[in-house]
Structure formats: C-alpha cells, structure tokens
Amino acid sequence: MSMSTTSGRGAECAGANRLRSLFLDPAEQALYPYWESAAGGMVAGFRESVGTDTDDPRFIELVGELSLASPLFSRLWARHDVQACEAAPKHIAHPQVGGLQLNRERLSIDGTQGQTLVIYHPDPDTDAAGKLALLASAILTPAPLPADRKGAENSGHRRHVLFKEAAG
C-alpha cells in the first residue's frame, strides 16, 4: 500500500503513500492532466491489490482518512470498481519539462507482505525519453542538505532531487 513518489512532498518522504498523495497533495494532482480519471484508476487498482485483506489496520486507516478528507475518493470508493493496473500507460504533466507519456510496470517483491515496486519508463527514442534524460542530468547538481545532515557534506553523502515542488 505504500510507495515513494517522485513529486511534491512525497519526494521528500520515502515510503509516502501514493494514493494519499494523489488525493491530498495539489502538487501531485497537478502532475496528471486528467487527475480525476487517474484517481479513479488508482482507487480501482488499490481495491484490486487489497483483495480480501480488508482487516489490515493500515487499509482501514487509509480508507477512513481519505473518505473523510476527499469527497472524490469517497465517491470513487463507493463505486466498488476493481481493476488491475499492470503495464498501464500514464500521462504526466511535469512542471519543468511538460507532458510525459510513460509506461507503468508493477512488480511484486519476493519475501515481502504484498509490497510492489512501481516503475515508470518511456518508450525508447521518444520525446518523453529525451525529457527524462534532461531531468536526470539535473540530479548532477546536489540539493542542499537539511540542517541535521550538514556534517554529511564532507563524507560524500548528498541528497539529489529529481522533481521539485512548484513554488506558490
């Protein structure tokens, strides 16, 4: 149920829940030109991934939180849509490079309790591939370390940010 995100607050918080970010973080919503449609697919995929494991306290807490905080989530959850999301294409409006059409792959991780790795990648030799290469080159410039990590500067540990939340 939990995965890192690559934009907004999620980028700064490893393990942030993607579903929570999609419904509660305007910066995450801005990445999807048709975010309400994307949200419908995410909810249906979430319902599919949970299956019959509805007694999980994390599941109960997340559904309760989102049902109270987001009228859209509440409406989508009430529809009871179920949909597998393997290899689904995604359209993302990146704040720095614009539109990206990416392929989405979801891989199970052996030895974990239902954790998955989600990979977004472009088709080779496409506009999206070029834009991602441009973004990847941006990580060569280190972002400032948080105050509690200043001592790590001399040890070679640096934090790189691929996506930055838009100011405003």
Side-chain angles (χ1 to χ4, degrees):
M1 280 193 293
S2 176
M3 59 191 231
S4 297
T5 61
T6 57
S7 68
R9 288 184 291 253
E12 298 165 12
C13 181
N17 184 283
R18 188 65 183 265
L19 197 61
R20 180 180 287 117
S21 296
L22 184 64
F23 283 96
L24 303 182
D25 184 351
E28 184 76 16
Q29 294 165 7
L31 290 175
Y32 296 93
Y34 307 102
W35 88 267
E36 289 190 19
S37 175
M42 293 264 309
V43 170
F46 174 65
R47 190 179 283 280
E48 187 268 338
S49 70
V50 169
T52 59
D53 194 17
T54 57
D55 293 335
D56 185 324
R58 296 172 301 159
F59 163 78
I60 295 167
E61 179 183 344
L62 180 61
V63 170
E65 174 189 0
L66 294 177
S67 294
L68 293 173
S70 170
L72 177 59
F73 176 85
S74 186
R75 284 194 309 274
L76 292 171
W77 189 252
R79 290 187 345 199
H80 297 279
D81 293 345
V82 177
Q83 176 184 9
C85 296
E86 281 76 17
K90 293 289 180 185
H91 300 279
I92 297 174
H94 190 277
Q96 294 170 320
V97 297
L100 296 170
Q101 181 171 332
L102 302 174
N103 302 305
R104 178 181 179 270
E105 308 294 338
R106 195 169 121 188
L107 309 170
S108 297
I109 301 173
D110 290 339
T112 66
Q113 295 180 349
Q115 290 188 4
T116 58
L117 174 65
V118 178
I119 300 170
Y120 292 89
H121 61 92
D123 287 330
D125 302 320
T126 60
D127 186 50
K131 289 177 179 181
L132 286 179
L134 178 64
L135 286 171
S137 70
I139 67 169
L140 298 176
T141 304
L145 290 170
D148 64 338
R149 295 283 315 243
K150 290 288 186 191
E153 286 182 27
N154 296 328
S155 68
H157 294 85
R158 297 197 184 271
R159 180 175 66 109
H160 297 282
V161 177
L162 182 58
F163 289 66
K164 294 183 181 178
E165 186 171 357

